[in-house]
Amino acid sequence: MKPEDMLGGAPVAKPYIRTRDVFQTDQDRGTEGYSEEALALVAETEKTGVPEGANAIGMAGSAKHGTVAVQLFARVNPETHVIEEAGYRAHGCLAMIASGCAAAHWVEGRTVEQAAALTAEGLAEMRGPVPRDKSYTARYATCAVRGMCGDFLIRNGATYEDMLARPHACDDMSIDCVLCENCSLRDQMVDLRIESRHRAAEAKE
């Protein structure tokens, strides 16, 4: 995979950490402000990448702070909706890497419905403290989790109306949605809404 193919063509010039799945392009201030818990997640490679048999994916990020983004992948049991294995890719700062890793760990063993209930505050607590100006990365990671959960449901036939009616449905006026410039689930919801309107128009004919 070419570096520029990472996370939708985001530029990766002069990366400080560069692996197949993790790109740190923000130099940060060394590790100032990062907790031991967060740095341990950054150093871990167990959850990087795409699990075998992955059938759900979510992505969230923004270019407001430089290109900062995370992808979350999961293999979900189609019968029980239990997330059997998860992995992630991240681009940006150490905090984004740590947040993506923490999210991948947390969702495993939970159903997609349970995973969608994850909050940015809950993820931040699991991840450990990071510099204050990097706190938004927990919100991106939780949006990626919701995106992954929504993607699984949509792949399995959920309609626009189903997605609106589910617990923890997205609120486009929430802090998470306002901060998150790019969201895979938002794009999917737009497509579903268009399909819903087409069906309604056809039913009237």
Side-chain angles (χ1 to χ4, degrees):
M1 176 182 290
K2 296 179 181 179
E4 59 269 23
D5 291 336
M6 176 63 184
L7 295 179
V12 292
K14 299 181 181 178
Y16 298 94
I17 296 176
R18 173 178 163 181
T19 69
R20 180 178 178 180
D21 300 298
V22 174
F23 289 77
Q24 180 205 358
T25 54
D26 185 340
Q27 190 176 18
D28 284 295
R29 295 181 295 275
T31 58
E32 179 185 345
Y34 284 94
S35 62
E36 291 183 6
E37 296 91 341
L39 292 175
L41 290 168
V42 170
E44 183 187 318
T45 59
E46 177 187 350
K47 291 300 174 192
T48 57
V50 184
E52 184 176 354
N55 56 358
I57 177 174
M59 175 180 168
S62 176
K64 294 174 183 175
H65 304 276
T67 301
V68 180
V70 61
Q71 287 178 315
L72 193 70
F73 308 89
R75 184 179 68 251
V76 184
N77 185 307
E79 299 297 327
T80 64
H81 289 198
V82 171
I83 298 167
E84 298 175 338
E85 187 177 1
Y88 80 99
R89 289 175 176 165
H91 182 285
C93 59
L94 294 176
M96 190 71 268
I97 297 169
S99 296
C101 187
H105 274 292
W106 188 85
V107 299
E108 284 190 354
R110 290 178 165 85
T111 65
V112 293
E113 292 80 9
Q114 291 168 335
L118 178 64
T119 65
E121 293 76 16
L123 179 61
E125 184 175 350
M126 289 181 288
R127 178 202 59 202
V130 299
R132 187 173 182 178
D133 62 346
K134 308 290 184 182
S135 61
Y136 61 87
T137 57
R139 296 194 178 278
Y140 292 169
T142 54
C143 285
V145 170
R146 293 191 198 102
M148 178 269 293
C149 295
D151 180 60
F152 172 79
L153 296 173
I154 292 169
R155 288 178 190 235
N156 285 273
T159 65
Y160 180 70
E161 292 75 18
D162 293 334
M163 295 297 288
L164 289 180
R166 76 193 193 283
H168 312 292
C170 296
D171 174 5
D172 58 10
M173 295 305 293
S174 69
I175 294 175
D176 289 353
C177 283
V178 170
L179 287 178
C180 190
E181 196 172 61
N182 302 308
C183 173
S184 60
L185 184 55
R186 181 186 297 144
D187 294 343
Q188 288 176 294
M189 289 294 288
V190 169
D191 291 340
L192 285 179
R193 186 172 187 180
I194 293 171
E195 291 176 11
S196 177
R197 288 184 173 181
H198 284 168
R199 287 196 302 270
E202 290 173 356
K204 292 179 180 180
E205 293 178 356

